[in-house]
Amino acid sequence: QVQLLESGGGLVETGGSLRLSCAASGRSVSINAMAWYRQVPGKQRELVAEITWGGHTNYADSVKGRFTISREKSRPTIYLQMNSLKPEDTAVYYCRYRWGSVWSGDWGQGTQVTVSS
């Protein structure tokens, strides 16, 4: 079993920045990729960014050039640096992990990001 703990959300003005963190614990030795998703009420959870342990990254078009995903090399922890935030970035942000070749269905409790206009 793997536990995920997201943190770093908050309230920020348009144009501001936040840095989210997600730490995986438990049976995390086989994790080889992690990702950030976000969800607003009434909409499906969407991929924001993902990173593999080999260093490959992928971003949603809506956040390219503004968000940067990174990871700790010594432990299964990822970060999401969010710059130039917009009101449409308001959502609950969740992280997810890939175990071998399968993306897990486990989610953390999420962290709320609110961008005021």
Side-chain angles (χ1 to χ4, degrees), residues 11-15 85-88 90 114-117:
L11 173 64
V12 64
E13 293 183 347
T14 296
L85 282 161
K86 305 175 181 180
E88 50 263 44
T90 295
T114 303
V115 184
S116 63
S117 57

Side-chain angles (χ1 to χ4, degrees), residues 93-112:
Y93 284 70
Y94 300 88
C95 65
R96 192 183 190 188
Y97 63 91
R98 190 177 72 191
W99 199 354
S101 60
V102 179
W103 283 97
S104 169
D106 296 334
W107 301 94
Q109 85 290 346
T111 186
Q112 175 72 48

Side-chain angles (χ1 to χ4, degrees), residues 29-98:
V29 65
S30 295
I31 292 175
N32 55 24
M34 293 181 73
W36 286 100
Y37 284 71
R38 66 187 180 187
Q39 188 172 27
V40 298
K43 292 190 175 182
Q44 283 193 329
R45 201 165 292 187
E46 63 173 5
L47 175 68
V48 176
E50 59 187 351
I51 185 167
T52 70
W53 274 199
H56 175 77
T57 58
N58 181 47
Y59 295 91
D61 287 343
S62 59
V63 307
K64 281 181 182 176
R66 300 188 298 121
F67 291 10
T68 302
I69 189 170
S70 61
R71 60 167 284 233
E72 292 270 359
K73 291 190 176 180
S74 59
R75 53 183 175 169
T77 298
I78 60 170
Y79 305 97
L80 187 68
Q81 178 66 44
M82 306 186 294
N83 298 328
S84 302
L85 282 161
K86 305 175 181 180
E88 50 263 44
D89 295 317
T90 295
V92 178
Y93 284 70
Y94 300 88
C95 65
R96 192 183 190 188
Y97 63 91
R98 190 177 72 191

